[in-house]
Amino acid sequence: MTTKFEQLSNELILICFSYFDFYELYDLFFSLNQRFNQLIQYQTKMHINLSSIPSGKFFTFFFHLNRFMTTTQNYPLSIIANDKCELNVILQDDLFKEKFSKLKSLTLTNMDVEAIYSIIFEKKAELYNSLERLTLLEMDRTADGGRFAIENLCDSLISSKMKMLKYLNLNFQRFSCRCGRCSFEHDSITYLYFNVLTNREEKSLSSLKTIIIGNISDDDYCYSNTTVCFYSLITDLLPCLPKLKKLIINSVHFEDYDYNQNHKELSITAATPISPLNLK
């Protein structure tokens, strides 16, 4: 009977390793014995959660990580981050340019829209060339840029610029309205329009297969901070997604659709014909 962890088969040990963030795995198991080292170096899929790394060990870990990746050619498949400063440190470093240019999955939480755009499209790693899965949760839209920054980000994400992107999940934080026109301060939500997609000089189609918009929860009464405008959804967004299979939206806003129908400004069928969707 197997009584010790190291007596397990390689397959079972790798399954156990898969439950650890790479920092935890490296900190707990690397250098214990040659067998574990070999498994971690060459057979473990590397997933990094920056929040799991103690601040006092952040730079030391990435110094060792750089040597580790250079030796093994084992590169991170996914990164989870909620601090743009920490993420910028490694994405701006020439040592990590090649390593992180192969990143497949990125999850960002509590970051402002313009910072997200910079991380994906302006850093040396050029993440837009490799990302297959992108999750943007609790995005902050209160920083400078406002609606223009949101439209610019969405336009870039839903285009052929994201060459490999198949999965996109996005949601905005609730924010307090202080516009001065309201008689009282109140929470507001983010309305997503995709009008800018139809203004492109050249039609660039996305390879996205799954889109999730809004706070999706098992709770039947879950309130979303992000609302998609229905008219823009069917006339601007869906025509750019010929490969879309799964679409999940928490909240849909119909007032713009009703307005256009009542005023007969545009016919939905005449304005932008939608190719037959293959939604599952």
Side-chain angles (χ1 to χ4, degrees):
M1 179 180 293
T2 299
T3 58
K4 295 183 179 180
F5 180 74
E6 55 264 35
Q7 292 177 326
L8 295 174
S9 66
N10 286 350
E11 291 75 16
L12 287 177
I13 289 178
L14 287 171
I15 291 174
C16 294
F17 281 178
S18 68
Y19 286 90
F20 288 91
D21 164 77
F22 188 75
Y23 169 77
E24 299 166 334
L25 181 64
Y26 187 87
D27 190 50
L28 293 172
F29 292 96
F30 198 72
S31 297
L32 286 182
N33 59 55
Q34 189 61 30
R35 181 188 175 206
F36 285 177
N37 286 358
Q38 289 290 319
L39 290 176
I40 294 173
Q41 287 177 318
Y42 300 107
Q43 297 190 49
T44 300
K45 295 181 179 179
M46 192 185 302
H47 303 282
I48 299 175
N49 186 342
L50 296 185
S51 62
S52 71
I53 306 172
S55 58
K57 297 183 178 181
F58 187 85
F59 291 103
T60 302
F61 170 70
F62 275 98
F63 173 77
H64 292 304
L65 180 64
N66 178 60
R67 292 196 304 176
F68 176 89
M69 292 187 292
T70 301
T71 302
T72 65
Q73 302 297 302
N74 182 8
Y75 301 125
L77 291 178
S78 69
I79 291 180
I80 299 174
N82 57 16
D83 187 315
K84 63 183 179 183
C85 295
E86 290 182 345
L87 188 57
N88 279 332
V89 166
I90 56 177
L91 293 183
Q92 285 286 72
D93 196 319
D94 287 332
L95 291 175
F96 292 100
K97 177 181 178 180
E98 178 184 354
K99 283 84 170 178
F100 287 94
S101 65
K102 298 176 174 62
L103 191 68
K104 299 298 183 184
S105 178
L106 179 65
T107 299
L108 302 177
T109 305
N110 295 315
M111 295 191 188
D112 66 80
V113 173
E114 290 184 321
I116 292 171
Y117 182 90
S118 176
I119 287 168
I120 297 173
F121 296 104
E122 297 177 350
K123 302 303 179 185
K124 296 178 180 179
E126 299 181 343
L127 299 181
Y128 57 87
N129 281 322
S130 62
L131 285 177
E132 296 179 3
R133 296 176 62 88
L134 179 60
T135 301
L136 306 174
L137 301 179
E138 300 301 316
M139 286 186 286
D140 182 4
R141 56 158 294 180
T142 58
D144 294 340
R147 173 166 294 282
F148 174 78
I150 295 174
E151 291 179 350
N152 186 43
L153 177 63
C154 290
D155 177 47
S156 299
L157 293 178
I158 305 170
S159 73
S160 57
K161 185 182 295 186
M162 301 290 292
K163 300 177 181 179
M164 305 298 293
L165 191 64
K166 303 295 189 296
Y167 173 97
L168 175 62
N169 183 351
L170 55 88
N171 183 48
F172 290 84
Q173 295 176 357
R174 183 176 299 185
F175 67 98
S176 296
C177 177
R178 300 183 179 89
C179 63
R181 295 187 296 271
C182 302
S183 58
F184 58 94
E185 184 177 310
H186 60 91
D187 285 342
S188 186
I189 60 178
T190 298
Y191 292 91
L192 286 185
Y193 297 88
F194 300 94
N195 311 64
V196 68
L197 298 179
T198 58
N199 296 329
R200 294 173 177 160
E201 294 182 3
E202 296 182 5
K203 200 69 172 179
S204 52
L205 301 179
S206 169
S207 297
L208 278 166
K209 293 184 178 181
T210 299
I211 293 183
I212 300 174
I213 300 176
N215 185 21
I216 306 302
S217 170
D218 294 333
D219 185 356
D220 292 337
Y221 300 99
C222 177
Y223 181 81
S224 179
N225 303 326
T226 308
T227 294
V228 176
C229 297
F230 181 72
Y231 189 81
S232 184
L233 170 70
I234 62 175
T235 60
D236 303 319
L237 178 61
L238 292 182
C240 295
L241 302 171
K243 299 181 180 180
L244 191 66
K245 300 292 184 183
K246 298 178 182 180
L247 176 63
I248 302 175
I249 301 174
N250 180 294
S251 178
V252 180
H253 180 65
F254 284 95
E255 286 187 12
D256 59 337
Y257 171 75
D258 293 337
Y259 175 85
N260 282 283
Q261 287 296 91
N262 292 334
H263 290 76
K264 304 296 182 181
E265 290 184 354
L266 288 173
S267 166
I268 290 177
T269 55
T272 308
I274 302 176
S275 302
L277 299 176
N278 298 312
L279 293 178
K280 293 182 178 181

